[in-house]
Amino acid sequence: YEESLSYGKQAVEGILTTIEAGPDSSSVVPYVLCAADADVQLVDTIRGRIEVARVGSGPAVLLAHGTPGSWRQLLPLAHSLADSFTALLPSRPGYGSTPVTVGRSYAQQAAAYAAVLDALDIERASLVGISGGAPAAPRQWRPARPASLRSTQ
């Protein structure tokens, strides 16, 4: 598990370095412009209503933000993935427009992520958890949606 966390941290740091430096090492992805590109909706799920932003197209990657924050926290990362992936950015329970009653525990949050994928009719997704969003991924995710997870663990 610790190796998985270390690998994930290195992968995300590499992506964030690319975002900061840009592909030609002279540009920075503007946060404000990224927000305009996001399709934000309130998704009705079996766990309750969950705020979700969607950026890009391709295989699904669900990005779970840290504490505190909302889906906006991972927009730069989502923007960097948008050419190859559909980045799904749910606001974790208690943040953004997602009520805390959707899931207080990490297991409930994992179930909420699974419910988002079900409501959006997405069969498989990669899951990236950052900071406070990491404990719901991947251990807690497996019982919630065992056949759908691609993980580094």
Side-chain angles (χ1 to χ4, degrees):
Y1 184 70
E2 292 300 322
E3 288 178 19
S4 176
L5 290 177
S6 176
Y7 174 80
K9 181 180 177 192
Q10 291 171 1
V12 170
E13 285 174 351
I15 292 168
L16 294 177
T17 300
T18 302
I19 293 169
E20 291 172 4
D24 62 2
S25 298
S26 65
S27 63
V28 176
V29 176
Y31 175 79
V32 175
L33 294 178
C34 290
D37 295 338
D39 173 27
V40 183
Q41 56 186 302
L42 292 174
V43 178
D44 289 317
T45 75
I46 61 170
R47 301 281 316 160
R49 186 168 280 184
I50 300 173
E51 181 181 40
V52 180
R54 187 186 300 214
V55 177
S57 62
V61 177
L62 191 144
L63 304 175
H65 66 82
T67 305
S70 71
W71 62 267
R72 291 169 183 84
Q73 186 182 59
L74 293 176
L75 264 176
L77 176 57
H79 184 73
S80 74
L81 298 171
D83 288 341
S84 301
F85 299 95
T86 297
L88 301 170
L89 303 109
S91 286
R92 290 178 43 226
Y95 299 98
S97 295
T98 302
V100 72
T101 54
V102 167
R104 289 183 171 88
S105 73
Y106 294 127
Q108 291 170 338
Q109 289 176 32
Y113 300 152
V116 164
L117 296 179
D118 290 342
L120 296 176
D121 200 28
I122 296 171
E123 288 185 33
R124 293 182 61 88
S126 296
L127 177 59
V128 176
I130 307 293
S131 185
R139 284 187 179 177
Q140 298 297 331
W141 176 270
R142 290 190 189 281
R145 212 161 198 256
S148 67
L149 178 66
R150 289 186 295 243
S151 171
T152 60
Q153 187 175 22

